[in-house]
Amino acid sequence: RLCWPWQKKLSSLGLLNLIDPLFFILFLPFVALHYRRPAVGASVFFALVLAYLLFRWLLKLKYARALKGFFRNRPKVVLYPHTCWPFSWNFIVETASVFFLGHLHHPHQIKIQQKLPKHKKNRLVQKALASAPGRLFSSFTSLFHISLQKEKNRQVVSLQDMRYRQNNNFSYALKVIFREGALKEAYFLDQGQPIPLIKVKKYSGKKYNENASS
């Protein structure tokens, strides 16, 4: 929370990789000068860290401009570092009707890996988002894809975190299951493993009118 307590929303600059070897190299001057000249070592370390973060920020701006020029029509662009490669970036580009997911190693090497249609937020989707599991999941990330699947006796609303993917499969997701418009079950998917959150056996509320959905 960068602006806590004035703002409780979670924020991230998205500049560093989970495993960034270059960042760890910056520790070497501090370690080398720690015992002989600790003040100098600390000053050199902080100066290098600030310079590296500035470099990453400028690099992110450059790649974001390249993506906006590639897709045009002023899309919403989200860039975040690749898990392991320091100079590779993953991206999520949101247009009026589609999400584009992919990565780029260079501003002129844009690779689209997935194209996901945006689902309209009808009443059932709104109920899933307003539920306790939906609020919990949306507090964890705002970059999720929504899908609605209608089966014989139930409707399944899926919220999938678009930031974490393995072979075009989402690592983390939330499934909210409705029957006749009533929330019956919800579970979190962690690497494909279900974690139950809610399971309701009886429900005494109003039934969901499918014809009233938009």
Side-chain angles (χ1 to χ4, degrees), residues 4 12 21 29-30 32 59 85 91 93 102 128 140 148 152 155 158 168 171 185 189 202 213:
W4 188 88
S12 174
F30 175 73
L59 188 66
W85 301 104
F91 65 81
V93 173
F140 175 67
L148 174 62
K152 289 184 178 180
Q155 303 85 33
S158 300
N168 292 338
S171 300
E185 188 178 355
L189 285 173
K202 294 183 179 180
S213 64

Side-chain angles (χ1 to χ4, degrees), residues 32-44:
L33 297 172
H34 176 67
Y35 294 102
R36 294 183 179 181
R37 304 179 68 181
V40 175
S43 300
V44 171

Side-chain angles (χ1 to χ4, degrees), residues 39 47 84-85 126 161 175:
C84 301
W85 301 104
Q126 294 286 7
D161 191 342
K175 301 284 187 179

Side-chain angles (χ1 to χ4, degrees), residues 155-172:
Q155 303 85 33
V156 181
V157 178
S158 300
L159 309 180
Q160 301 162 316
D161 191 342
M162 294 186 289
R163 298 173 300 170
Y164 303 103
R165 295 177 294 125
Q166 292 182 350
N167 299 323
N168 292 338
N169 293 320
F170 297 104
S171 300
Y172 307 108

Side-chain angles (χ1 to χ4, degrees), residues 90-131:
N90 295 326
F91 65 81
I92 301 171
V93 173
E94 180 181 355
T95 65
S97 58
V98 177
F99 287 106
F100 294 97
L101 283 66
H103 72 267
L104 66 167
H105 302 285
H106 188 273
H108 301 293
Q109 296 178 353
I110 299 173
K111 184 178 180 181
I112 299 174
Q113 297 174 310
Q114 281 184 281
K115 180 180 178 181
L116 303 173
K118 294 177 67 174
H119 193 279
K120 293 182 179 180
K121 293 182 180 180
N122 59 19
R123 288 182 59 187
L124 202 60
V125 172
Q126 294 286 7
K127 289 178 68 173
L129 293 173
S131 66

Side-chain angles (χ1 to χ4, degrees), residues 30-31 55 78-79 130 139 144 172 186:
F30 175 73
V31 174
F55 166 73
V78 177
L79 265 173
S139 68
F144 55 84
Y172 307 108

Side-chain angles (χ1 to χ4, degrees), residues 4-211:
W4 188 88
W6 301 279
Q7 184 181 7
K8 295 183 178 181
K9 183 179 179 180
L10 294 173
S11 302
S12 174
L13 296 177
L15 296 177
L16 296 177
N17 309 67
L18 182 62
I19 303 174
D20 195 329
L22 297 179
F23 186 80
F24 288 103
I25 291 174
L26 300 179
F27 282 97
L28 295 180
F30 175 73
V31 174
L33 297 172
H34 176 67
Y35 294 102
R36 294 183 179 181
R37 304 179 68 181
V40 175
S43 300
V44 171
F45 170 70
F46 284 113
L48 290 175
V49 168
L50 289 176
Y52 184 60
L53 291 177
L54 178 61
F55 166 73
R56 297 282 300 179
W57 180 63
L58 294 174
L59 188 66
K60 184 177 181 178
L61 290 179
K62 181 179 179 180
Y63 279 36
R65 285 195 299 267
L67 284 170
K68 290 181 180 180
F70 180 82
F71 288 97
R72 301 180 181 179
N73 296 326
R74 296 184 179 181
K76 180 181 177 181
V77 174
V78 177
L79 265 173
Y80 54 102
H82 191 276
T83 306
C84 301
W85 301 104
F87 299 107
S88 295
W89 297 79
N90 295 326
F91 65 81
I92 301 171
V93 173
E94 180 181 355
T95 65
S97 58
V98 177
F99 287 106
F100 294 97
L101 283 66
H103 72 267
L104 66 167
H105 302 285
H106 188 273
H108 301 293
Q109 296 178 353
I110 299 173
K111 184 178 180 181
I112 299 174
Q113 297 174 310
Q114 281 184 281
K115 180 180 178 181
L116 303 173
K118 294 177 67 174
H119 193 279
K120 293 182 179 180
K121 293 182 180 180
N122 59 19
R123 288 182 59 187
L124 202 60
V125 172
Q126 294 286 7
K127 289 178 68 173
L129 293 173
S131 66
R135 295 195 305 270
L136 177 64
F137 191 83
S138 59
S139 68
F140 175 67
T141 175
S142 61
L143 301 172
F144 55 84
H145 178 252
I146 302 172
S147 62
L148 174 62
Q149 299 168 335
K150 295 184 179 180
E151 301 175 0
K152 289 184 178 180
N153 299 317
R154 66 178 193 172
Q155 303 85 33
V156 181
V157 178
S158 300
L159 309 180
Q160 301 162 316
D161 191 342
M162 294 186 289
R163 298 173 300 170
Y164 303 103
R165 295 177 294 125
Q166 292 182 350
N167 299 323
N168 292 338
N169 293 320
F170 297 104
S171 300
Y172 307 108
L174 174 69
K175 301 284 187 179
V176 184
I177 301 172
F178 294 89
R179 288 187 176 87
E180 296 182 340
L183 194 157
K184 291 296 184 179
E185 188 178 355
Y187 58 90
F188 180 71
L189 285 173
D190 182 358
Q191 306 287 343
Q193 298 298 320
I195 302 175
L197 298 176
I198 292 178
K199 191 168 185 180
V200 181
K201 293 183 179 180
K202 294 183 179 180
Y203 180 76
S204 59
K206 295 181 179 180
K207 293 185 177 181
Y208 170 69
N209 185 2
E210 187 174 356
N211 296 325

